[in-house]
């Protein structure tokens, strides 16, 4: 199928430049001068250094450039020399192109519903290309919005077959980012390798506490006074990928497991939406097993 990126005409002349390099004097000046040579106007700038004496420098530059579509190729070509001189890892992101997302969900739909709501209000600048689930219960709410829904039963005995079909769908729909909205299946290293730093998961605990299954029951048994949720990029280490966002709420001894899950679901929804939004707005640089998030 033809899965061309959907244009967002409101941001036709806007882009983001993300840069990582060894820190030294003159980086910001060089980047500013480069954009100035193309009559680009910087509309947002955020930067961070791990150590100004001998660290790593990170910067996000959002800019407006008239007739950007005509200039973009030449800008990227001209930037290659600067990148070599400063040993930069970099990426240009054009805001006119919405990222195409696939949402994976299992039986609990609360995170999916939050994503669909934010998508409908326009607060998540993406196109939902498809929803994949190993349960049928979300089909009606998804298809009501004209979004393709794929029911693919999954378990450990047929995992290779299932993931082969899922990878095929991601290619067919030209997917940029995968969102695991409480998709309760472990992904294999082969699957993860196809989408490095492009799979966003929501985990129903404040990591690194209570890694794995049923964290609310274990939190109750431990008598915790705070519960939380964590959104992170998926790696081959279970629930240990680079953390994007976390949040918590206070609880006490009167709250049982059922109520913990209810409170937790609210935290999960807001944490996942924030993480997805920052990814879509190109506000994240992954550094090892950590993230730099320019909020």
């Amino acid at each position: 199928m033809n899965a061309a990126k959907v244009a967002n005409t409101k941001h036709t002349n806007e882009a983001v430049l993300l840069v990582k390099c060894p820190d030294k004097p003159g980086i910001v000046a060089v980047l500013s001068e480069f954009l100035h040579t193309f009559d680009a106007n910087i509309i947002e700038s955020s930067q961070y250094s791990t150590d100004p004496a001998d660290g790593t420098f990170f910067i996000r530059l959002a800019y407006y450039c008239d007739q950007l579509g005509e200039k973009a190729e030449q800008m990227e070509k001209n930037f290659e020399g600067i990148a070599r001189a400063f040993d930069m890892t970099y990426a240009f992101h054009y805001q006119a192109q919405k990222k195409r997302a696939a949402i994976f969900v299992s039986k609990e739909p609360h995170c999916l519903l939050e994503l669909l709501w934010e998508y409908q209000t326009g607060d998540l600048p993406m196109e939902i290309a498809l929803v994949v689930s190993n349960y049928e219960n979300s089909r009606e709410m998804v298809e009501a919005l004209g979004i393709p829904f794929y029911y693919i039963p999954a378990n450990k005995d047929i995992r290779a077959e299932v993931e082969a079909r899922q990878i095929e769908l991601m290619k067919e729909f030209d997917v940029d980012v995968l969102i695991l909205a409480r998709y309760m299946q472990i992904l294999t290293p082969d699957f993860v390798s196809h989408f490095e730093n492009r799979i966003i998961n929501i985990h129903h605990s404040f990591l690194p506490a209570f890694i794995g299954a049923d964290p609310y029951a274990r939190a109750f048994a431990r008598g915790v006074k705070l519960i939380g949720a964590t959104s992170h990029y998926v790696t081959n280490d279970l629930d240990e990928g680079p953390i994007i966002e976390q949040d918590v709420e206070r609880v006490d001894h009167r709250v049982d497991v059922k109520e913990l899950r209810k409170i937790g679901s609210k935290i999960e929804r807001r944490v996942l939406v924030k993480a997805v939004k920052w990814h879509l707005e190109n506000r994240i640089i992954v550094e090892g097993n950590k993230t730099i998030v320019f909020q």
Side-chain angles (χ1 to χ4, degrees):
M1 65 175 288
N2 182 4
K5 300 287 190 283
V6 176
N8 184 350
T9 55
K10 179 182 177 182
H11 301 288
T12 298
N13 292 315
E14 295 180 14
V16 167
L17 174 59
L18 290 174
V19 171
K20 178 181 79 171
C21 63
D23 200 357
K24 65 180 180 179
I27 298 170
V28 175
V30 167
L31 293 174
S32 299
E33 179 58 29
F34 164 76
L35 291 173
H36 179 63
T37 60
F38 287 91
D39 295 321
N41 183 31
I42 296 173
I43 54 180
E44 185 179 336
S45 177
S46 301
Q47 64 195 61
Y48 167 70
S49 176
T50 60
D51 184 341
D54 187 27
T56 302
F57 181 77
F58 305 85
I59 189 168
R60 177 186 186 269
L61 290 167
Y63 60 91
Y64 175 91
C65 185
D66 195 35
Q67 298 180 324
L68 180 59
E70 300 174 14
K71 298 178 181 179
E73 184 176 354
Q74 190 61 51
M75 289 179 77
E76 292 194 29
K77 184 176 181 181
N78 288 9
F79 194 75
E80 292 174 0
I82 296 173
R84 285 194 297 270
F86 285 83
D87 192 19
M88 292 177 173
T89 301
Y90 68 95
F92 287 88
H93 299 279
Y94 300 99
Q95 304 299 71
Q97 286 191 339
K98 290 184 178 180
K99 289 183 173 62
R100 292 175 58 81
I103 301 175
F104 284 37
V105 63
S106 289
K107 194 172 185 178
E108 298 182 72
H110 56 279
C111 286
L112 169 64
L113 284 167
E114 190 75 11
L115 291 166
L116 293 177
W117 170 252
E118 295 287 341
Y119 165 72
Q120 290 177 85
T121 62
D123 289 336
L124 286 178
M126 66 179 179
E127 287 300 315
I128 301 178
L130 72 162
V131 171
V132 175
S133 181
N134 55 330
Y135 287 85
E136 282 276 16
N137 59 302
S138 297
R139 178 183 292 276
E140 186 175 348
M141 67 182 76
V142 171
E143 293 185 339
L145 297 176
I147 299 169
F149 180 91
Y150 286 83
Y151 168 59
I152 305 178
N155 59 62
K156 62 182 181 180
D157 297 325
I158 56 170
R159 189 158 288 154
E161 174 188 334
V162 167
E163 289 190 346
R165 174 58 177 148
Q166 291 169 342
I167 291 170
E168 181 182 287
L169 284 170
M170 298 309 100
K171 292 178 180 178
E172 180 182 344
F173 281 88
D174 195 18
V175 166
D176 299 300
V177 57
L178 282 66
I179 305 167
L180 306 185
R182 292 300 302 273
Y183 182 66
M184 308 306 288
Q185 294 289 315
I186 294 174
L187 303 178
T188 68
D190 178 65
F191 186 92
V192 173
S193 69
H194 282 79
F195 309 101
E196 184 179 8
N197 296 330
R198 292 192 293 139
I199 307 175
I200 300 174
N201 184 46
I202 183 67
H203 184 74
H204 43 314
S205 79
F206 192 79
L207 294 174
F210 305 121
I211 289 173
D214 207 5
Y216 293 123
R218 287 184 288 137
F220 176 76
R222 185 65 181 83
V224 302
K225 305 307 180 197
L226 287 172
I227 62 167
T230 303
S231 188
H232 63 93
Y233 288 116
V234 174
T235 65
N236 292 325
D237 296 318
L238 181 64
D239 296 330
E240 294 189 8
I243 291 172
I244 305 170
E245 173 63 347
Q246 295 179 292
D247 202 357
V248 296
E249 284 197 22
R250 184 166 292 279
V251 296
D252 64 25
H253 58 276
R254 289 179 288 263
V255 179
D256 61 16
V257 175
K258 182 178 179 181
E259 186 65 17
L260 284 179
R261 289 196 175 101
K262 184 177 179 180
I263 296 169
S265 70
K266 296 177 182 178
I267 312 173
E268 294 164 25
R269 284 152 44 193
R270 65 176 182 256
V271 167
L272 180 58
V273 165
K274 281 185 181 180
V276 170
K277 185 176 177 65
W278 292 335
H279 179 91
L280 297 174
E281 293 178 348
N282 306 297
R283 294 184 177 274
I284 305 170
I285 297 177
V286 177
E287 174 68 355
N289 202 42
K290 299 173 68 174
T291 58
I292 310 300
V293 183
F294 296 111
Q295 299 179 27

